[in-house]
Amino acid sequence: MKTSAESTPSGSRPEVRAAAGRLRGIREAGVAAFRGIPFAEPPVGALRFAAPRPVGGWSGVREALSYGPPPPQGGHFGMDTLSLDAGGDDWLTVNVWSPEPDPGAGLPVMVWIQGGGYEIGMSSLPEYDGGRLARDGGVVVVTFNYRTGIEGFAQIEAAPANRGLLDQVAALEWVRDNIRAFGGDPERVTVFGQSAGGGSVAALLAMDRASGLFRRAIAQSVPGTFFSPELAADIAAACAAELGLRPTVADLSSVDPRQLPAAANAVGAKMDQWAARWGQPAHSAVLFSPVVDGEVLAVTPWQALGEGACRDIELLVGHTRDEYRLFTAINGLLGTVSEEQAANALAVFAPGPDGACRYRDAYPAADPNELYELVHSDWLFRMPSLHLAEAQTAARGRAHVYELTWSAPGMGGALGACHGLDVPLVFGNLDRGQPAMLIGGTPSPEAEALSARMRAAWACFAAHGDPGWPAYDTDQRLVQLFETQPAVTAYPQESSRLIWQSHTFPVLPLISR
């Protein structure tokens, strides 16, 4: 359907004509914002646990001023309360920020996928407001909700796998069909995401049905957890058993969606009981991840990229230096890890039969706290991110790599360059949302300058495929370090890279029944 854009005379209430009907947004600080636009029918009732269905149209002008309600959430960081307060079943909505909502503008488009361990996450969080990135970067920014937890990623009998990923594909299809009306160029779409959002970006790179929906990809702190159907089904059975049910559409569709996260929370609270069956995911409290089911997701991202599936897609990928320190603090272990805890972590997560010894040899001065954080950071985020670039490069594709090494000033600097610190820096929302606590009060000039550099790099990559530093190769291994004084240097985590260089990040299996 042909699209067009119109603005009111004052320009304060811009209007666009999207495929499903007319939308009226609002102009905020020089950027047109449109919130809560449905991209699929509510996945409830007869559509519960189904693949997303195209949304119907509407007559007249639809107000697009408020975020849509998020899908039901787990209890982490108070997300369950936020989702309950929002109310409503129209979970699958997009939000758009555009400097120039005119069909002829042809601006680059950046589509954000938020993280949250595949268990929580909502686009309405203040840290994901796209206004500053859109205005300063000259790009159209899109955020959206997708199903998480049991609704989105549990392996349920008679339901398609990876419903959360299918929601993401549906959102990208909406962008393809509508973004020109908002001033965006559908041929210049960059998908970007962090943590589970970065893992989702990696999954989309490997999915046939996402082919052609984006030209570039930015994957921040990619988790290495991709489940086998057997493992995912066993976890789903444990969650359903908390309700006295089976993991089937027939059983679970009778449960109020807002009750399901509590079942997952209950399983998550006793992961030690499942370690012998679920292995590494139980040890790291990972309940949900994309499932390599052979249909929606045929292979892992590392295999897909290594085989050349994304040779024509430009990739920007990286991680923070101290990825796991935030989780160490959340778990009450910051600075108190014992030798026994460090040894157990090395035994569980270090690669190969001699992985623990190799860590101790490579880091002879590391104390238990450092070894514990190193192996967790490497297994969960750092090495999966690096290996994504390695796989792309091996297949003669193009990848740019970065590491955020600037230490968060919040909490007395105890968290270092921790997981999630990149989010406020990339969006420029340094004083809003939970990640703002990492910045620590009023943002310093150094924080503002670093944020500006990261926003510019991300926007330039979205526009031209070049973030401002050389592409990664296996000779020099040049990466951008984001610090108070940024520098381009050889990949700094060389000791860890060598320990993990032969690891393939395979599908995680069900260990025993």
Side-chain angles (χ1 to χ4, degrees), residues 9 22 39 81 156 169 190 287 299 311 379 419 440:
R22 295 177 66 84
F39 67 86
T81 301
I156 298 173
V169 171
T190 297
L287 266 184
V299 297
R311 191 178 293 122
W379 175 78
H419 187 72

Side-chain angles (χ1 to χ4, degrees), residues 264-278:
N265 291 344
V267 174
K270 49 188 176 185
M271 291 290 265
D272 288 348
Q273 299 178 16
W274 299 98
R277 290 171 67 89
W278 300 344

Side-chain angles (χ1 to χ4, degrees), residues 35 67-70 73 76-83 86 95 97 112 114-116 120-131 143-145 194 423 427 429 432-435:
R35 297 181 173 92
Y67 292 106
Q73 305 278 304
H76 311 284
F77 307 110
M79 293 292 192
D80 50 349
T81 301
L82 290 174
S83 62
N95 318 292
W97 290 263
W112 171 253
Q114 71 268 358
I120 59 174
M122 56 185 76
S123 63
S124 54
L125 295 177
E127 54 262 39
Y128 303 141
D129 184 289
T143 67
F144 64 92
N145 288 333
Q194 182 266 349
V423 173
F427 276 89
N429 298 324
R432 284 184 282 171
Q434 289 186 336

Side-chain angles (χ1 to χ4, degrees), residues 205 212 214-217 309-315 392 397-398:
L205 288 166
F214 54 93
R215 181 174 176 181
R216 301 183 177 104
C310 299
R311 191 178 293 122
D312 296 332
I313 293 180
E314 292 156 325
L315 175 64
Q392 178 76 334
R398 184 177 176 184

